[in-house]
Amino acid sequence: MKPRTTIVILLVVLLMVVMSACGNSADTTTTGASAQTTTTAAEAMGCSAGQVDGDLNFYNWSDYIDPDLITAFQDQYGVTVTQDFYESNEEMLAKIQAGVHYDLIVPSDYMVGIMIDDGELMKLDKAALTNLGNLDPQFVNMPFDPTSDFSVPYQWGTTGLGVDLAVVGEDHPYSWGIIFDPAMNQGHQVSMLNDAREAMGAALKYLGYSLNSTSLDELQKAADLIKSAKDVIVTFDSDNYNDNLINGEVSISHGYNGNFFTAFDSADNPDQYEYFMPEEGGTVWVDNMAIPANVDHPCTALTFINFLLDAQNGAQLTNYNYYASPNAAAKEFIDPDILGDTAVYPDEETMKRLEFIEDTGDFEINYTDYFTQAKS
Amino acid sequence: MNSGTRPKGLVERLLAANSWIVYTFFYAPIFVLVFFSFNDNRNVGVWTHASLRWYGELAQSHDIIRSVRNSLIVATVATIVSTVIGTAAALSMERFRYRGQRTYDALLYLPIIIPDVTMAVMMLLFFVQAFGITNNLLGTRIELGLGSISLAHIAFDISFVAVVVRARLAEMDSSLEEAARDLYASRWQTFRKVTLPLIMPGVAGGALLALTMSLDDVVVTSFVTGPGSTTLPVYVFGLVKRGVTPLVNAVSTLMLVASMLLVAGSLFFQRRSRATGRGGGTVET
Amino acid sequence: MSVETGPVSPDLERAAERAERRRGFRLGLPGFAYLVIFFAIPLVMVFVYSFATRSSTGKTLLQDWNLNSYRRLAESIVVQIAWRSLWLAVLATVICLILAYPFAYFIATRRPAIRNALLVLVMIPFWSNFLVRTYAWRVLLGSDGPVSQLTSLLGLGETRILFTPLAILIGLVYGFLPFMVLPLYAAIERIDWSLVEAARDLYASGWQAFRRVTLPLSRPGVVAGSILVFIPSLGAYVTPEILGGAKTTLLGSYIVQQFLAARNWPFGSALSFAVMAVMLAATLIYFREGGRTL
């Protein structure tokens, strides 16, 4: 026994030494390929507009892009697009950090900031993005990407509540209270997003705090609030929240506006359902297209971004997924019903109550931990 | 077992009733699943009328076809490699004595005992580091994909094959091998003509088990998968989490049919080889 | 050993033994090497990672080695999750045992021809895809699924079992029942019934004979089956994810969360390692009690 245990101990020590040595060189990341990056992302390779250098590996949220657009791109440029899907920003980041190679990803606002700081995004070659001028100036040089060098807005929207009017009634309160307030939530069945920032954010807003709070005390109160509502919260789901509402599994569902509208349209009785932004406020978010630093086919990725920036393609995207487009030139091609819907394009008054999710740096992990605590 | 020891009367009836319940428990969900795959309604639990539309959608889905292809590639590679290595390992443990066997014994049992989440975590960490070091040293761009999935599957399949073959070797009458050696057969001849035919059911059983484990695996695969290398169970898992439509039922039904064909095939093969005297239990004297 | 006539030189015998040992070692070498590289080393890595630090953005820093992750294992939330998983796994094992024992006994006491047919009927679900079988319950247990429709018909109103711990339990029992049935059947089938007969001859009642002869003789099967159900149940991930609705956090989901959502690999590694250590301990203890190996 004795020689064997010595060998095992030696092996462990040796392994730790080897891994520390590798870990401390160049960067302290565990990613494989981007060894040359330190604080800035790798320089973009020179790509010209419309150039392709191979097939596209596209990592996106599920049900977020019109399959017809994918087909159109494939036909126009003669490449194949392979899609994989993720459920949350963190899941996507975990895979990217593990060194998996994707050509194009769609991180949300705060995630773009995190990835830029970590050197995980490639600087965009603006020369290849000829349609960049189509963007609404409001969505250029945003706080999470001040020089707009690493990301291009994709779609933006809000996170609120979808309800089944047959169950909650036409004159229901327009508040997060229909989930959290025992006086209002009786007999309801609720689905909340399985996303720490969104779910905790809803609770924080209801309590009157900012959803970017960096106070452990406020987070604890939010977690306790969610926990206290566990009787009515049937499930935490970031994918089926709209379907579950339509097929009667839940009567109140927390989710993203565009997905709700797609589901309402396919329901037997669309007027039975409603999406609204609670009066306490909530999240406004913008998802962006970005290229990971360890990209295999940067030119194809840039061409795809440019393809989606085209006015008509941008409009087709909105007409498919019912989210608001950051593309000013696309407005003339968007379905007027969508343009006029304040649930998709909120008015000034509502916008004041909304907040973008911001990266809280070192504090960020507390959101995940408190959320797990609330869910248990 | 004779009439003196067989359960009788009330006990017998209760046992039979319990068995009916268990069989119903086993098969009812499967029948429901298959039944609803022919449902025209997008909502899985509510029957509208019969239709084949989901099967049509299935046939046209590039993603599904790709994941089936990936599953088959990985399962085939993993089964073949692990059966060969696992059988060799089993022989090594049961027919020989050497130093370090106890360590090997423990090492062979660990992958069976370990929870698959831990296994998934282990493989992810290993591949991230290994690929990182290789890429830095050699300038290659290896990443997670079908290769890493196959390597991971082989790692746990070897143990499953070894356990089954070892059981067979232990049961088998080793005096037959001795007899062959006494008759001047070389080691290789003994193996090919005596041992191998006798352990064939075990090897086949082990191979089948390895195949099933590989095709069933979700967690380990999803951790070490890369772009475009999704396997069928991982894809179905994603479908279930993303949006439950009868499309999943249709995929499931086809997977069930495939399993049943596999079982039927292996039974048929077993029966045939027993009839022709190859690979059956002990040799009749 | 082959029988030899006449004296053999001890040197020759020793050389022959050494050659045998080498042969055995070489035969097992591919498997051994593979498992060392692709199993033992990854396992050691998990162990090492459990002492690493997590950067503020979720990267793993292989420096500043510490015991933080292990200290977190004592936190109340971890204990809560662990306890819940343990409880669920024990329940699943016990229910499987209760269902499977009479079932296995029944099959083992049939005529050989019928026995084979009954076994094949058990094999078919066993070889079917686990994910598919678990998904089947998702269809059954929804609020407008067949189970709910059935209870409505019976006047009990709509039931929704989906997304509750009960759904997870049903899924676990359903998924792992074959793992309990097969070892039990193997053990019961192997019993020397003449012993039972002897007990009956000695005026033992049917029940007494069962309790004092059959049951103890079938213990290896009980042990093997229990382990084969308990271990995957404790670390289950797929079943809770599909049937549990993320409301009931169990160990499997909690660990996966650390690697995906929370990106806290050191803590996730510590959890994985701890769970494995517990299972290993349980298996060793149980084996000592049960005697026979798998």
Side-chain angles (χ1 to χ4, degrees), chain A residues 73-103:
Chain A
F73 181 74
Q74 288 180 149
D75 291 338
Q76 187 174 347
Y77 291 96
V79 294
T80 318
V81 177
T82 309
Q83 284 194 82
D84 282 333
F85 307 105
Y86 54 88
E87 212 183 87
S88 69
N89 283 301
E90 285 72 16
E91 189 182 321
M92 178 269 296
L93 182 61
K95 278 282 166 149
I96 299 292
Q97 281 181 339
V100 183
H101 291 225
Y102 283 104
D103 297 314

mmCIF file of all heavy atoms in Angstrom, chain A residues 73-103:
data_model
loop_
_atom_site.group_PDB
_atom_site.id
_atom_site.type_symbol
_atom_site.label_atom_id
_atom_site.label_comp_id
_atom_site.label_asym_id
_atom_site.label_seq_id
_atom_site.Cartn_x
_atom_site.Cartn_y
_atom_site.Cartn_z
ATOM 1 N N PHE A 73 -29.295 33.220 -46.466
ATOM 2 C CA PHE A 73 -27.855 33.473 -46.342
ATOM 3 C C PHE A 73 -27.053 32.341 -46.972
ATOM 4 O O PHE A 73 -26.075 32.567 -47.695
ATOM 5 C CB PHE A 73 -27.474 33.649 -44.875
ATOM 6 C CG PHE A 73 -26.011 33.928 -44.657
ATOM 7 C CD1 PHE A 73 -25.481 35.176 -44.961
ATOM 8 C CD2 PHE A 73 -25.164 32.950 -44.162
ATOM 9 C CE1 PHE A 73 -24.136 35.440 -44.762
ATOM 10 C CE2 PHE A 73 -23.816 33.207 -43.951
ATOM 11 C CZ PHE A 73 -23.305 34.446 -44.261
ATOM 12 N N GLN A 74 -27.491 31.095 -46.682
ATOM 13 C CA GLN A 74 -26.788 29.941 -47.232
ATOM 14 C C GLN A 74 -26.805 29.963 -48.749
ATOM 15 O O GLN A 74 -25.789 29.707 -49.406
ATOM 16 C CB GLN A 74 -27.423 28.631 -46.715
ATOM 17 C CG GLN A 74 -27.140 28.368 -45.258
ATOM 18 C CD GLN A 74 -27.779 27.066 -44.756
ATOM 19 O OE1 GLN A 74 -27.259 26.427 -43.874
ATOM 20 N NE2 GLN A 74 -28.905 26.673 -45.316
ATOM 21 N N ASP A 75 -27.966 30.303 -49.306
ATOM 22 C CA ASP A 75 -28.088 30.326 -50.759
ATOM 23 C C ASP A 75 -27.248 31.443 -51.361
ATOM 24 O O ASP A 75 -26.577 31.267 -52.367
ATOM 25 C CB ASP A 75 -29.563 30.507 -51.163
ATOM 26 C CG ASP A 75 -30.381 29.268 -50.830
ATOM 27 O OD1 ASP A 75 -29.765 28.195 -50.699
ATOM 28 O OD2 ASP A 75 -31.611 29.398 -50.701
ATOM 29 N N GLN A 76 -27.304 32.624 -50.714
ATOM 30 C CA GLN A 76 -26.636 33.781 -51.301
ATOM 31 C C GLN A 76 -25.126 33.633 -51.294
ATOM 32 O O GLN A 76 -24.446 34.055 -52.219
ATOM 33 C CB GLN A 76 -27.044 35.041 -50.518
ATOM 34 C CG GLN A 76 -26.537 36.328 -51.140
ATOM 35 C CD GLN A 76 -27.094 37.551 -50.423
ATOM 36 O OE1 GLN A 76 -28.029 37.442 -49.629
ATOM 37 N NE2 GLN A 76 -26.521 38.702 -50.702
ATOM 38 N N TYR A 77 -24.574 33.020 -50.222
ATOM 39 C CA TYR A 77 -23.124 32.987 -50.102
ATOM 40 C C TYR A 77 -22.526 31.603 -50.260
ATOM 41 O O TYR A 77 -21.321 31.425 -50.160
ATOM 42 C CB TYR A 77 -22.700 33.586 -48.751
ATOM 43 C CG TYR A 77 -22.946 35.081 -48.689
ATOM 44 C CD1 TYR A 77 -24.097 35.587 -48.112
ATOM 45 C CD2 TYR A 77 -22.033 35.977 -49.249
ATOM 46 C CE1 TYR A 77 -24.331 36.948 -48.080
ATOM 47 C CE2 TYR A 77 -22.257 37.337 -49.214
ATOM 48 C CZ TYR A 77 -23.410 37.820 -48.640
ATOM 49 O OH TYR A 77 -23.647 39.159 -48.601
ATOM 50 N N GLY A 78 -23.395 30.590 -50.465
ATOM 51 C CA GLY A 78 -22.881 29.250 -50.728
ATOM 52 C C GLY A 78 -22.171 28.605 -49.552
ATOM 53 O O GLY A 78 -21.248 27.815 -49.723
ATOM 54 N N VAL A 79 -22.597 28.924 -48.322
ATOM 55 C CA VAL A 79 -21.990 28.277 -47.158
ATOM 56 C C VAL A 79 -23.090 27.600 -46.350
ATOM 57 O O VAL A 79 -24.263 27.879 -46.530
ATOM 58 C CB VAL A 79 -21.250 29.290 -46.255
ATOM 59 C CG1 VAL A 79 -20.058 29.867 -46.966
ATOM 60 C CG2 VAL A 79 -22.197 30.374 -45.792
ATOM 61 N N THR A 80 -22.692 26.698 -45.439
ATOM 62 C CA THR A 80 -23.660 26.041 -44.560
ATOM 63 C C THR A 80 -23.620 26.690 -43.186
ATOM 64 O O THR A 80 -22.553 27.047 -42.690
ATOM 65 C CB THR A 80 -23.312 24.552 -44.390
ATOM 66 O OG1 THR A 80 -22.925 24.029 -45.634
ATOM 67 C CG2 THR A 80 -24.505 23.787 -43.844
ATOM 68 N N VAL A 81 -24.783 26.866 -42.602
ATOM 69 C CA VAL A 81 -24.846 27.435 -41.259
ATOM 70 C C VAL A 81 -25.242 26.326 -40.289
ATOM 71 O O VAL A 81 -26.272 25.691 -40.455
ATOM 72 C CB VAL A 81 -25.897 28.566 -41.191
ATOM 73 C CG1 VAL A 81 -26.001 29.101 -39.776
ATOM 74 C CG2 VAL A 81 -25.533 29.681 -42.165
ATOM 75 N N THR A 82 -24.391 26.075 -39.281
ATOM 76 C CA THR A 82 -24.696 25.094 -38.241
ATOM 77 C C THR A 82 -25.069 25.843 -36.974
ATOM 78 O O THR A 82 -24.306 26.680 -36.500
ATOM 79 C CB THR A 82 -23.462 24.219 -37.946
ATOM 80 O OG1 THR A 82 -22.961 23.710 -39.174
ATOM 81 C CG2 THR A 82 -23.838 23.075 -37.031
ATOM 82 N N GLN A 83 -26.269 25.542 -36.462
ATOM 83 C CA GLN A 83 -26.731 26.273 -35.285
ATOM 84 C C GLN A 83 -26.705 25.407 -34.036
ATOM 85 O O GLN A 83 -27.123 24.266 -34.059
ATOM 86 C CB GLN A 83 -28.176 26.731 -35.491
ATOM 87 C CG GLN A 83 -28.309 27.923 -36.406
ATOM 88 C CD GLN A 83 -29.697 28.518 -36.280
ATOM 89 O OE1 GLN A 83 -29.985 29.283 -35.390
ATOM 90 N NE2 GLN A 83 -30.573 28.151 -37.205
ATOM 91 N N ASP A 84 -26.213 25.952 -32.939
ATOM 92 C CA ASP A 84 -26.378 25.353 -31.619
ATOM 93 C C ASP A 84 -27.079 26.384 -30.744
ATOM 94 O O ASP A 84 -26.995 27.588 -31.023
ATOM 95 C CB ASP A 84 -25.015 24.988 -31.007
ATOM 96 C CG ASP A 84 -24.456 23.714 -31.596
ATOM 97 O OD1 ASP A 84 -25.249 22.862 -32.048
ATOM 98 O OD2 ASP A 84 -23.225 23.564 -31.620
ATOM 99 N N PHE A 85 -27.751 25.908 -29.712
ATOM 100 C CA PHE A 85 -28.566 26.841 -28.928
ATOM 101 C C PHE A 85 -28.176 26.857 -27.468
ATOM 102 O O PHE A 85 -27.736 25.860 -26.923
ATOM 103 C CB PHE A 85 -30.047 26.462 -29.049
ATOM 104 C CG PHE A 85 -30.507 26.348 -30.467
ATOM 105 C CD1 PHE A 85 -30.714 25.109 -31.041
ATOM 106 C CD2 PHE A 85 -30.716 27.487 -31.234
ATOM 107 C CE1 PHE A 85 -31.129 25.003 -32.360
ATOM 108 C CE2 PHE A 85 -31.126 27.386 -32.556
ATOM 109 C CZ PHE A 85 -31.330 26.137 -33.122
ATOM 110 N N TYR A 86 -28.355 28.006 -26.842
ATOM 111 C CA TYR A 86 -28.142 28.088 -25.403
ATOM 112 C C TYR A 86 -29.333 28.731 -24.720
ATOM 113 O O TYR A 86 -30.137 29.396 -25.336
ATOM 114 C CB TYR A 86 -26.849 28.828 -25.057
ATOM 115 C CG TYR A 86 -26.691 30.208 -25.670
ATOM 116 C CD1 TYR A 86 -27.182 31.345 -25.038
ATOM 117 C CD2 TYR A 86 -25.999 30.368 -26.859
ATOM 118 C CE1 TYR A 86 -26.998 32.609 -25.589
ATOM 119 C CE2 TYR A 86 -25.818 31.623 -27.413
ATOM 120 C CZ TYR A 86 -26.312 32.736 -26.775
ATOM 121 O OH TYR A 86 -26.128 33.979 -27.333
ATOM 122 N N GLU A 87 -29.402 28.499 -23.412
ATOM 123 C CA GLU A 87 -30.559 28.934 -22.642
ATOM 124 C C GLU A 87 -30.293 30.234 -21.904
ATOM 125 O O GLU A 87 -31.209 30.938 -21.510
ATOM 126 C CB GLU A 87 -30.879 27.849 -21.608
ATOM 127 C CG GLU A 87 -32.319 27.693 -21.268
ATOM 128 C CD GLU A 87 -32.524 26.637 -20.185
ATOM 129 O OE1 GLU A 87 -32.455 26.981 -18.988
ATOM 130 O OE2 GLU A 87 -32.742 25.477 -20.553
ATOM 131 N N SER A 88 -29.024 30.522 -21.664
ATOM 132 C CA SER A 88 -28.702 31.723 -20.894
ATOM 133 C C SER A 88 -27.325 32.221 -21.287
ATOM 134 O O SER A 88 -26.508 31.470 -21.820
ATOM 135 C CB SER A 88 -28.715 31.420 -19.399
ATOM 136 O OG SER A 88 -27.626 30.577 -19.076
ATOM 137 N N ASN A 89 -27.078 33.489 -20.993
ATOM 138 C CA ASN A 89 -25.776 34.071 -21.299
ATOM 139 C C ASN A 89 -24.643 33.307 -20.622
ATOM 140 O O ASN A 89 -23.591 33.087 -21.190
ATOM 141 C CB ASN A 89 -25.731 35.527 -20.813
ATOM 142 C CG ASN A 89 -26.467 36.451 -21.739
ATOM 143 O OD1 ASN A 89 -26.135 36.544 -22.915
ATOM 144 N ND2 ASN A 89 -27.480 37.123 -21.223
ATOM 145 N N GLU A 90 -24.900 32.920 -19.367
ATOM 146 C CA GLU A 90 -23.851 32.268 -18.598
ATOM 147 C C GLU A 90 -23.476 30.925 -19.210
ATOM 148 O O GLU A 90 -22.312 30.540 -19.221
ATOM 149 C CB GLU A 90 -24.313 32.069 -17.143
ATOM 150 C CG GLU A 90 -24.308 33.333 -16.295
ATOM 151 C CD GLU A 90 -25.417 34.291 -16.666
ATOM 152 O OE1 GLU A 90 -26.356 33.866 -17.349
ATOM 153 O OE2 GLU A 90 -25.323 35.464 -16.279
ATOM 154 N N GLU A 91 -24.493 30.215 -19.715
ATOM 155 C CA GLU A 91 -24.226 28.923 -20.339
ATOM 156 C C GLU A 91 -23.344 29.112 -21.570
ATOM 157 O O GLU A 91 -22.401 28.363 -21.799
ATOM 158 C CB GLU A 91 -25.559 28.285 -20.734
ATOM 159 C CG GLU A 91 -25.453 26.861 -21.205
ATOM 160 C CD GLU A 91 -26.810 26.318 -21.617
ATOM 161 O OE1 GLU A 91 -27.796 26.629 -20.931
ATOM 162 O OE2 GLU A 91 -26.862 25.591 -22.622
ATOM 163 N N MET A 92 -23.650 30.167 -22.348
ATOM 164 C CA MET A 92 -22.865 30.444 -23.540
ATOM 165 C C MET A 92 -21.436 30.786 -23.146
ATOM 166 O O MET A 92 -20.476 30.274 -23.728
ATOM 167 C CB MET A 92 -23.524 31.609 -24.299
ATOM 168 C CG MET A 92 -22.798 32.062 -25.540
ATOM 169 S SD MET A 92 -21.611 33.373 -25.266
ATOM 170 C CE MET A 92 -22.667 34.714 -24.742
ATOM 171 N N LEU A 93 -21.300 31.613 -22.119
ATOM 172 C CA LEU A 93 -19.970 32.024 -21.695
ATOM 173 C C LEU A 93 -19.156 30.825 -21.218
ATOM 174 O O LEU A 93 -17.968 30.717 -21.515
ATOM 175 C CB LEU A 93 -20.079 33.057 -20.570
ATOM 176 C CG LEU A 93 -18.750 33.624 -20.061
ATOM 177 C CD1 LEU A 93 -18.020 34.335 -21.189
ATOM 178 C CD2 LEU A 93 -18.971 34.573 -18.900
ATOM 179 N N ALA A 94 -19.810 29.912 -20.504
ATOM 180 C CA ALA A 94 -19.100 28.738 -19.992
ATOM 181 C C ALA A 94 -18.508 27.930 -21.144
ATOM 182 O O ALA A 94 -17.366 27.482 -21.086
ATOM 183 C CB ALA A 94 -20.043 27.879 -19.167
ATOM 184 N N LYS A 95 -19.292 27.765 -22.216
ATOM 185 C CA LYS A 95 -18.798 26.988 -23.357
ATOM 186 C C LYS A 95 -17.653 27.731 -24.059
ATOM 187 O O LYS A 95 -16.660 27.120 -24.450
ATOM 188 C CB LYS A 95 -19.927 26.727 -24.359
ATOM 189 C CG LYS A 95 -20.815 25.568 -23.987
ATOM 190 C CD LYS A 95 -20.125 24.251 -24.318
ATOM 191 C CE LYS A 95 -20.841 23.103 -23.662
ATOM 192 N NZ LYS A 95 -20.787 21.852 -24.369
ATOM 193 N N ILE A 96 -17.812 29.046 -24.219
ATOM 194 C CA ILE A 96 -16.759 29.806 -24.892
ATOM 195 C C ILE A 96 -15.481 29.746 -24.076
ATOM 196 O O ILE A 96 -14.386 29.557 -24.619
ATOM 197 C CB ILE A 96 -17.194 31.277 -25.099
ATOM 198 C CG1 ILE A 96 -18.440 31.338 -25.963
ATOM 199 C CG2 ILE A 96 -16.068 32.089 -25.688
ATOM 200 C CD1 ILE A 96 -18.221 30.914 -27.397
ATOM 201 N N GLN A 97 -15.616 29.886 -22.763
ATOM 202 C CA GLN A 97 -14.436 29.844 -21.902
ATOM 203 C C GLN A 97 -13.801 28.470 -21.890
ATOM 204 O O GLN A 97 -12.610 28.337 -21.639
ATOM 205 C CB GLN A 97 -14.807 30.244 -20.471
ATOM 206 C CG GLN A 97 -14.926 31.734 -20.298
ATOM 207 C CD GLN A 97 -15.278 32.122 -18.880
ATOM 208 O OE1 GLN A 97 -15.794 31.313 -18.119
ATOM 209 N NE2 GLN A 97 -15.000 33.359 -18.531
ATOM 210 N N ALA A 98 -14.615 27.433 -22.184
ATOM 211 C CA ALA A 98 -14.054 26.083 -22.218
ATOM 212 C C ALA A 98 -13.310 25.840 -23.524
ATOM 213 O O ALA A 98 -12.781 24.770 -23.752
ATOM 214 C CB ALA A 98 -15.167 25.056 -22.060
ATOM 215 N N GLY A 99 -13.285 26.862 -24.388
ATOM 216 C CA GLY A 99 -12.481 26.737 -25.591
ATOM 217 C C GLY A 99 -13.223 26.220 -26.801
ATOM 218 O O GLY A 99 -12.619 25.943 -27.827
ATOM 219 N N VAL A 100 -14.563 26.082 -26.695
ATOM 220 C CA VAL A 100 -15.297 25.612 -27.856
ATOM 221 C C VAL A 100 -15.318 26.713 -28.904
ATOM 222 O O VAL A 100 -15.501 27.873 -28.589
ATOM 223 C CB VAL A 100 -16.742 25.243 -27.462
ATOM 224 C CG1 VAL A 100 -17.479 24.699 -28.657
ATOM 225 C CG2 VAL A 100 -16.723 24.245 -26.333
ATOM 226 N N HIS A 101 -15.128 26.356 -30.180
ATOM 227 C CA HIS A 101 -15.033 27.363 -31.240
ATOM 228 C C HIS A 101 -16.373 27.631 -31.882
ATOM 229 O O HIS A 101 -16.948 26.762 -32.539
ATOM 230 C CB HIS A 101 -14.074 26.874 -32.342
ATOM 231 C CG HIS A 101 -12.655 26.826 -31.898
ATOM 232 N ND1 HIS A 101 -11.617 27.301 -32.663
ATOM 233 C CD2 HIS A 101 -12.081 26.375 -30.767
ATOM 234 C CE1 HIS A 101 -10.484 27.126 -32.018
ATOM 235 N NE2 HIS A 101 -10.733 26.554 -30.868
ATOM 236 N N TYR A 102 -16.878 28.840 -31.691
ATOM 237 C CA TYR A 102 -18.042 29.275 -32.458
ATOM 238 C C TYR A 102 -17.657 30.518 -33.244
ATOM 239 O O TYR A 102 -16.779 31.269 -32.835
ATOM 240 C CB TYR A 102 -19.219 29.587 -31.528
ATOM 241 C CG TYR A 102 -19.908 28.354 -31.012
ATOM 242 C CD1 TYR A 102 -19.723 27.906 -29.713
ATOM 243 C CD2 TYR A 102 -20.732 27.597 -31.856
ATOM 244 C CE1 TYR A 102 -20.340 26.768 -29.254
ATOM 245 C CE2 TYR A 102 -21.348 26.454 -31.393
ATOM 246 C CZ TYR A 102 -21.150 26.039 -30.106
ATOM 247 O OH TYR A 102 -21.766 24.906 -29.654
ATOM 248 N N ASP A 103 -18.321 30.736 -34.359
ATOM 249 C CA ASP A 103 -17.972 31.894 -35.172
ATOM 250 C C ASP A 103 -18.778 33.124 -34.786
ATOM 251 O O ASP A 103 -18.300 34.251 -34.895
ATOM 252 C CB ASP A 103 -18.220 31.591 -36.664
ATOM 253 C CG ASP A 103 -17.332 30.473 -37.162
ATOM 254 O OD1 ASP A 103 -16.121 30.498 -36.852
ATOM 255 O OD2 ASP A 103 -17.840 29.581 -37.854
#
